Amino acid sequence: MHSDPILRAAQLLSTADGLLITAGAGMGVDSGLPDFRGTEGFWKAYPALAHAGTNFQAIANPAAFDADPKRAWGFYGHRLALYRKTVPHAGFELLRAMAGRLPHGAFVVTSNVDGQFQKAGFVEERILEIHGSIHHLQCCGRCDESLWSASGIEPETDDERCEWIGNTLPRCGRCGGLARPNILMFDDAAWVDARAEKQHERFDAWSQKVAAPVVIELGAGVDLPSIRWIGEGSGWPLIRINPRHAQTRGKAAVSVPVGARQGLELIARSFAHLADVL
């Protein structure tokens, strides 16, 4: 195997029959999304929460909807609007093009709740969102297991105060109680995981089809390393693209210490050249 990590990554892809894409918050940075790295980074994005001394764990928590539903929906309403207007960066299309060269294509496993992979053209049936999605809602009181689309919600928020200012907070159509995003939050015993379970089943079925897959991991953090564990635990060759935490272990692991878009541009160029030669 070549010593140059970009060429090594391209070589791994050239012998693969499927691509597992694992992505954390760093995947969205090149699209202009915040990654909430550390409390200071989070408070920079939400100064009203900094003033109140409210950290990410406290607002991304079911208890926040009980304590101050307007503030909780101020936070999630702002994020919903932000994700809706965000344009996925060019790296998403590069991933689709690379996967298109492989017999079994790609499957995406992401901790991101932003729906950017769907927006970039990845099919819903090939995506596993381990923390759920902001684009789906559930009842805060979990009156049943129902989920519904957030497409009917038009967020009205005062972002300076991190507060919902619309006339009506999102409500459950069944019981009339407060609704919340179908996101796995901190200290969350009420998350309805039915959608995620179906996604898990489809991922398991795809995993059994591939014989020689390779993993490309993008922007996965170390504080909540669920995404990193998935790639490392798969036993498949791993390409880790991360500007801060790119360290890898094992002979079949490649470290690419740059941002997601730059890393994908370099690998895609080398892979395309190698594929044409072969």
Side-chain angles (χ1 to χ4, degrees), residues 104-132:
H104 293 293
F107 205 105
V108 176
V109 178
T110 181
S111 58
N112 299 332
V113 301
D114 52 28
Q116 292 297 294
F117 278 97
Q118 288 93 331
K119 185 179 280 191
F122 287 82
V123 296
E124 183 74 38
E125 291 74 23
R126 290 286 187 94
I127 300 173
L128 165 56
E129 296 157 302
I130 64 171
H131 292 165

Side-chain angles (χ1 to χ4, degrees), residues 198-216:
K198 291 180 180 178
Q199 292 178 335
H200 270 284
E201 291 172 3
R202 292 194 289 266
F203 174 52
D204 289 342
W206 180 84
S207 298
Q208 292 170 14
K209 290 181 181 179
V210 292
V214 64
V215 182
I216 292 184

Side-chain angles (χ1 to χ4, degrees), residues 118-253:
Q118 288 93 331
K119 185 179 280 191
F122 287 82
V123 296
E124 183 74 38
E125 291 74 23
R126 290 286 187 94
I127 300 173
L128 165 56
E129 296 157 302
I130 64 171
H131 292 165
S133 170
I134 199 169
H135 302 288
H136 293 80
L137 303 180
Q138 67 170 82
C139 178
C140 278
R142 196 167 177 169
C143 65
D144 65 8
E145 301 293 296
S146 296
L147 302 178
W148 63 96
S149 172
S151 60
I153 301 296
E154 292 298 332
E156 297 180 63
T157 60
D158 182 333
D159 296 333
E160 292 294 320
R161 295 162 52 196
C162 191
E163 185 173 309
W164 182 275
I165 57 175
N167 291 329
T168 305
L169 288 163
R171 295 284 172 183
C172 171
R174 185 174 186 274
C175 71
L178 186 67
R180 51 163 273 193
N182 181 232
I183 292 173
L184 178 60
M185 304 179 190
F186 294 94
D187 302 318
D188 194 352
W191 183 50
V192 177
D193 63 356
R195 180 171 174 271
E197 282 298 315
K198 291 180 180 178
Q199 292 178 335
H200 270 284
E201 291 172 3
R202 292 194 289 266
F203 174 52
D204 289 342
W206 180 84
S207 298
Q208 292 170 14
K209 290 181 181 179
V210 292
V214 64
V215 182
I216 292 184
E217 177 194 285
L218 302 132
V222 297
D223 293 332
L224 293 172
S226 302
I227 289 296
R228 295 172 75 91
W229 290 342
I230 289 169
E232 291 172 353
S234 70
W236 300 336
L238 169 66
I239 302 165
R240 173 168 284 155
I241 303 174
N242 195 307
R244 293 186 295 270
H245 305 291
Q247 300 87 347
T248 57
R249 295 175 293 178
K251 293 181 180 180

Side-chain angles (χ1 to χ4, degrees), residues 72-94:
W73 265 111
F75 174 65
Y76 280 106
H78 168 262
R79 290 179 68 187
L80 178 59
L82 174 65
Y83 297 151
R84 282 176 174 174
K85 69 182 181 183
T86 298
V87 177
H89 62 76
F92 287 88
E93 184 55 36
L94 292 173

